[in-house]
Amino acid sequence: MSRWRQDMGIIRCIIIICLFIGMTSCESPEESIACVETDPCDCPQASKEDCQEKEGEEPNEEVDKEEVDYLTLSLDLDKTFQQIKSFGASDAWSIQFVGKNWNENSREKIAELLFSTEFDESNDPKGIGLSTWRFNIGAGSAEQGANSNINDEWRRAEGFLNADGSYDWNKQEGQQWFLERALSYGVDDFTAFLNSPPVSLTRNGMAYSEDGVSANLDEANFDKYADFIVEVLQNMQSKVGVHFDHVSPFNEPQWEWKCCNQEGSPWNNEEMAAMTRVLDEKISTAQIDTKIEVTEAGSLDFLYSNERDSRRNDQIYNFFSPTRDTYIGDLDNVAMSIAGHSYFTTYDLSTLLNTRKLVNDKINEINPELDFIMSEYCILEDHEEIKGSGRDLGMDPALYLARVIHSDLVYANAVSWQWWLAVSPYDYKDGLIYIDHNTVAGNVYESKMLWSLGNYSRFIRPGMTRISLERSDKLSDIAAIEEMLPSAYKSEDEVVIVLVNQTEEAEKVVIEGLSDGYSSIDLFQTSETKSLDHVRTYQDVNSEIIIAARSIVTLVIK
């Protein structure tokens, strides 16, 4: 009997131990394995040991090497490409209301998300550190109200120029507030851009074109338009303290800009050349250190192709070849750059690649010293992979965006990359930050597109240079564009690598080619569960680095 009791006691102990083990692991084995394979720190049940490398320690658990392929990225620090000038966004159109009417907490939160380069107590970035800011000089349609025929009040803009020729520098108050905040956060590169000349100067007294055939500005008013631009540049410098490095007097000149979606004007090449010469002379007379940026082409193919509208195409050749009557490359105040918008050239993938290569080829043919600026983009596309309509704060548009940025930097050699609406009230994939459709108050929503851009803008700082990077899988450009997308940049004391993992599986990478002196790698990740979070620090630059599935990762190597 005593033997039976002893045996039962042993059995009870075994049962208790088994129950205890079961209670400490509630997730299924499949969930646990999948979580570790992507990134142990992404697991809801992640322990201190899972993320020890975040504090510089070696992890105690490794990913199964048979489950994740290796990709070796070989750097050549001596083989360089373009020098990066900036990443930015514009203040059209909602900033006019947010900066003027919304409460200070909301405004400050938005400014911090856009401009801050600080880190919080977890070493996560507080913002995406934009290094350039685009200020829209309005045409005055807001003052016209409903008579402007622009039905959406958010797309109207105030104007500094009154009908009697006087100026009111208190206009565009909300935009001026954000100019000041950008400056206070350390932004030191600013562009002023105009969608339309002031309504008091246009042919039809409106901020849109009557027929779409030519500029909505009579040549007799070219002088007055140039005077207006110079006045704004000078007064924003004295009033706000902002010096505009560039001014862009034309926007997407290829489109007709008929009534009545927003302010806009078409411009033919000959008109742009004539207007640029007038503005160049006015800037010289005023002794302003501001360069004229052209042409803000509505689609990149207008920069190199002569297959579409002959009045407004092939703009690299027409404006920067000395053989052309429209040549402006010899003017003192014209920037040695060409600006275009990446709209409608991002799909299919062969179009994405070939368009950007053709931009770069045309620049090298006409003038290799010419910089390419991608000065405006948001997701307007409507195809089987993505649709512009419908607000989406998640990773699908963020990954799509990252692929576009990568392609513009790597294949078109863009020196600056700039998003369209920094803040959007719309049900569209056009904003970095979203707000309620309310002119006086509301909620602020972060999107993964904000942080996707931040993987580039926060860490690739002005003056860094893109460097050569070879991948061990030797994929062709067209094959690689659907896989991991790596690009690398260097300063005097840092190397930054951005990796876009579009796939459903985690991948391991190893970095080769770093010179002596580099000792650590900080990993920042944007994914479904992270927003440019600092995930870990590798204390060995030869470490095998996990790039989570469907994520954008920035490696900062010091």
Side-chain angles (χ1 to χ4, degrees), residues 116-127 458-459 524 532 534 558:
S116 178
T117 57
E118 295 182 353
F119 296 91
D120 64 18
E121 62 277 3
S122 299
N123 204 27
D124 300 333
K126 292 183 177 180
R458 176 58 191 84
F459 301 104
F524 297 85
L532 201 58
H534 180 254
K558 299 179 181 179

Side-chain angles (χ1 to χ4, degrees), residues 45-62:
Q45 72 277 17
S47 68
K48 175 69 174 177
E49 286 187 345
D50 292 323
C51 297
Q52 277 178 333
E53 279 191 278
K54 188 164 184 174
E55 299 181 7
E57 304 169 20
E58 289 299 321
N60 292 336
E61 186 173 9
E62 293 187 355

Side-chain angles (χ1 to χ4, degrees), residues 98-109:
V98 174
K100 180 179 181 180
N101 301 332
W102 283 43
N103 66 60
E104 186 174 359
N105 287 340
S106 296
R107 284 181 285 156
E108 289 290 358
K109 179 59 177 175

Side-chain angles (χ1 to χ4, degrees), residues 427-440:
D427 187 21
Y428 217 88
K429 298 177 182 66
D430 57 359
L432 298 175
I433 298 168
Y434 286 88
I435 58 172
D436 293 334
H437 199 279
N438 190 315
T439 60
V440 296

Side-chain angles (χ1 to χ4, degrees), residues 198-468:
V199 293
S200 60
L201 301 180
T202 59
R203 295 178 190 270
N204 59 359
M206 309 299 281
Y208 59 82
S209 173
E210 202 70 43
D211 55 19
V213 173
S214 60
N216 191 25
L217 183 73
D218 190 274
E219 191 170 354
N221 279 336
F222 280 14
D223 269 347
K224 291 181 180 179
Y225 185 35
D227 288 336
F228 166 74
I229 291 172
V230 169
E231 283 286 342
V232 173
L233 297 177
Q234 290 176 318
N235 279 275
M236 287 300 99
Q237 170 84 60
S238 60
K239 184 176 186 295
V240 184
V242 168
H243 165 70
F244 286 102
D245 301 86
H246 297 90
V247 61
S248 176
F250 322 109
N251 179 65
E252 299 184 342
Q254 290 80 17
W255 310 142
E256 292 184 337
W257 297 116
K258 293 181 182 179
C259 185
C260 303
N261 288 327
Q262 66 170 79
E263 294 187 348
S265 173
W267 291 83
N268 298 325
N269 286 347
E270 291 79 5
E271 293 172 322
M272 281 189 281
M275 182 65 229
T276 300
R277 293 182 182 117
V278 173
L279 181 56
D280 173 76
E281 184 176 345
K282 297 284 186 178
I283 289 175
S284 290
T285 300
Q287 297 182 328
I288 301 173
D289 185 21
T290 299
K291 298 299 183 184
I292 305 168
E293 182 177 281
V294 295
T295 62
E296 304 269 6
S299 181
L300 296 184
D301 55 313
F302 285 115
L303 296 180
Y304 61 78
S305 173
N306 59 10
E307 294 181 0
R308 291 211 269 176
D309 193 337
S310 60
R311 300 166 299 170
R312 304 165 185 173
N313 67 6
D314 208 359
Q315 291 186 322
I316 295 172
Y317 170 60
N318 277 307
F319 290 117
F320 291 98
S321 171
T323 65
R324 304 296 295 164
D325 292 339
T326 48
Y327 178 61
I328 57 174
D330 58 344
L331 299 180
D332 291 338
N333 301 299
V334 169
M336 191 51 61
S337 59
I338 188 82
H341 301 173
S342 280
Y343 298 123
F344 314 117
T345 60
T346 62
Y347 192 84
D348 60 14
L349 296 180
S350 60
T351 299
L352 174 71
L353 290 176
N354 293 335
T355 300
R356 283 143 188 82
K357 291 180 179 181
L358 288 168
V359 169
N360 190 52
D361 289 346
K362 193 72 170 188
I363 286 174
N364 287 329
E365 174 192 340
I366 301 300
N367 185 349
E369 299 301 313
L370 199 64
D371 285 334
F372 168 59
I373 295 174
M374 204 307 294
S375 55
E376 186 179 312
Y377 179 74
C378 70
I379 299 176
L380 295 181
E381 289 81 345
D382 188 0
H383 52 70
E384 61 185 25
E385 184 174 352
I386 202 163
K387 297 186 185 302
S389 61
R391 182 184 297 190
D392 186 342
L393 305 180
M395 282 304 294
D396 285 346
L399 289 167
Y400 191 94
L401 169 60
R403 187 172 68 194
V404 174
I405 298 173
H406 171 87
S407 301
D408 286 335
L409 294 174
V410 171
Y411 300 111
N413 281 324
V415 301
S416 180
W417 201 97
Q418 300 160 19
W419 179 261
W420 176 218
L421 302 182
V423 180
S424 171
Y426 295 115
D427 187 21
Y428 217 88
K429 298 177 182 66
D430 57 359
L432 298 175
I433 298 168
Y434 286 88
I435 58 172
D436 293 334
H437 199 279
N438 190 315
T439 60
V440 296
N443 297 307
V444 176
Y445 310 93
E446 301 172 22
S447 77
K448 294 295 181 179
M449 288 190 291
L450 170 77
W451 299 111
S452 174
L453 175 56
N455 277 95
Y456 292 90
S457 61
R458 176 58 191 84
F459 301 104
I460 306 171
R461 304 308 296 170
M464 297 189 83
T465 303
R466 189 168 71 85
I467 59 175
S468 175

Side-chain angles (χ1 to χ4, degrees), residues 48 51-59 519-522 534-540 543:
K48 175 69 174 177
C51 297
Q52 277 178 333
E53 279 191 278
K54 188 164 184 174
E55 299 181 7
E57 304 169 20
E58 289 299 321
S519 60
S520 67
I521 301 176
D522 283 296
H534 180 254
V535 173
R536 60 182 54 170
T537 298
Y538 294 88
Q539 297 294 358
D540 181 357
S543 297

Side-chain angles (χ1 to χ4, degrees), residues 71 471 480 482-486 499-501 503 507 509 547:
L71 180 66
R471 50 193 302 153
E482 292 187 279
E483 302 292 331
M484 179 79 74
L485 300 177
L499 302 108
V500 184
N501 186 2
T503 72
E507 193 160 351
V509 300
I547 310 300

